[in-house]
Amino acid sequence: MKIMIVEDDATIRDMIWESLNKWGFETAAIVDFQDVMGRFAREEPHLVLLDINLPVFDGFYWCSEIRAVSKVPILFISSRNTPMDMIMSMNMGGDDFIQKPFRADVLIAKINALLRRTYTYMDAQTSAIEHDGILLNLKDGALYLGERKAELTKTEFVIMSLLMRQKGSIVTRTKLMRSLWEDESFVDDNTLTVNIVRLRKKLAELGREDFISTRKGQGYMIE
């Protein structure tokens, strides 16, 4: 999961960045506060941490701009503590609010809860992921191209699901192995390579041998 940090206080921003990285999140920290939406579009974060007091435009403005194009969860972080600010945050489309100063573990707990609520619900509403003609059925764990079907093992399904959810971005081997460990599958570097080879063979049998590309020294990508 990628978190975008929109906070102009460098000390707080760095503290949040370090905490998120310790927990295995990808991070994108804003330093150009005139290009928040441009960076948002490029990064495609899964959650936005948004301060209220910002240079150029305040957090309420950026929240409304994000809401015009996305339903991504937004967690406001602010030194303001009046009921009106909290109400305004929610009315503008925010999903939660945390007041400065805050403990890093409390922030992480709120982020995890918000991600869990948002993406568990979305997964429950989604039965398949499709990209460029290839469909991954989340119910039966199989790949489809038209009428053709390829059965996947549990490990292959986890790998394919992550790659398709992150299409357009490089997924590192470390991230893939971490996801498989979290799914209680035993995997080392060689096991991952074997499963990627098997996935490519099954995709080739469907007629899409180039669906997964390798980024040397980085990982894999579905474009």
Side-chain angles (χ1 to χ4, degrees), residues 65 70 72-73 75 90 116 127 132 149 152 163 181 208:
E65 290 293 293
S70 174
V72 66
L75 173 56
M90 301 302 110
R116 189 164 54 247
S127 60
D132 199 19
K149 176 182 179 181
L152 301 183
L163 288 172
W181 273 111
R208 298 300 306 276

Side-chain angles (χ1 to χ4, degrees), residues 13-221:
R13 185 172 63 238
D14 291 347
M15 179 274 287
I16 294 172
W17 187 90
E18 290 177 8
S19 297
L20 290 173
N21 276 274
K22 285 179 182 177
W23 277 82
F25 290 107
E26 292 184 51
T27 54
I30 299 295
V31 292
D32 179 0
F33 294 95
Q34 296 189 39
D35 188 38
V36 173
M37 289 305 297
R39 188 74 184 278
F40 176 83
R42 293 191 295 274
E43 297 290 348
E44 297 184 338
H46 297 91
L47 182 144
V48 177
L49 294 176
L50 185 58
D51 191 16
I52 294 178
N53 294 323
L54 293 169
V56 189
F57 297 105
D58 66 16
F60 295 139
Y61 171 84
W62 291 120
C63 181
S64 65
E65 290 293 293
I66 291 170
R67 276 291 164 264
V69 298
S70 174
K71 295 181 180 180
V72 66
I74 297 173
L75 173 56
F76 274 99
I77 48 177
S78 180
S79 56
R80 301 185 184 184
N81 62 353
T82 66
M84 184 53 66
D85 286 316
M86 296 181 186
I87 292 170
M88 185 75 168
S89 298
M90 301 302 110
N91 287 342
M92 293 300 292
D95 297 279
D96 204 347
F97 185 100
I98 187 168
Q99 183 187 343
K100 301 176 186 177
F102 51 80
R103 288 167 47 117
D105 56 350
V106 174
L107 176 65
I108 295 297
K110 279 182 170 285
I111 289 171
N112 281 327
L114 191 48
L115 288 171
R116 189 164 54 247
R117 290 199 304 270
T118 303
Y119 294 102
T120 298
Y121 172 78
M122 289 175 64
D123 286 347
Q125 304 303 308
T126 304
S127 60
I129 307 172
E130 189 276 337
H131 178 64
D132 199 19
I134 291 290
L135 184 142
L136 177 64
N137 190 312
L138 302 180
K139 292 184 177 180
D140 67 9
L143 281 176
Y144 293 84
L145 179 62
E147 296 299 317
R148 286 174 285 179
K149 176 182 179 181
E151 299 282 355
L152 301 183
T153 66
K154 180 181 177 182
T155 299
E156 291 165 353
F157 172 78
V158 173
I159 294 170
M160 196 66 191
S161 176
L162 183 56
L163 288 172
M164 290 190 73
R165 290 176 192 278
Q166 299 292 313
K167 61 183 180 292
S169 300
I170 296 171
V171 181
T172 66
R173 291 178 66 87
T174 299
K175 184 172 182 178
L176 285 165
M177 287 190 287
R178 184 183 297 134
S179 296
L180 289 163
W181 273 111
E182 289 173 356
D183 199 59
E184 299 180 353
S185 301
F186 174 76
V187 62
D188 56 18
D189 198 65
N190 184 61
T191 304
L192 178 59
T193 299
V194 169
N195 278 276
I196 291 289
V197 170
R198 288 175 179 168
L199 262 176
R200 283 176 164 156
K201 182 178 179 182
K202 291 178 179 181
L203 284 162
E205 289 171 353
L206 292 176
R208 298 300 306 276
E209 59 274 7
D210 298 323
F211 195 70
I212 300 173
S213 60
T214 300
R215 292 295 184 267
K216 191 172 181 179
Q218 300 179 73
Y220 304 97
M221 182 178 181

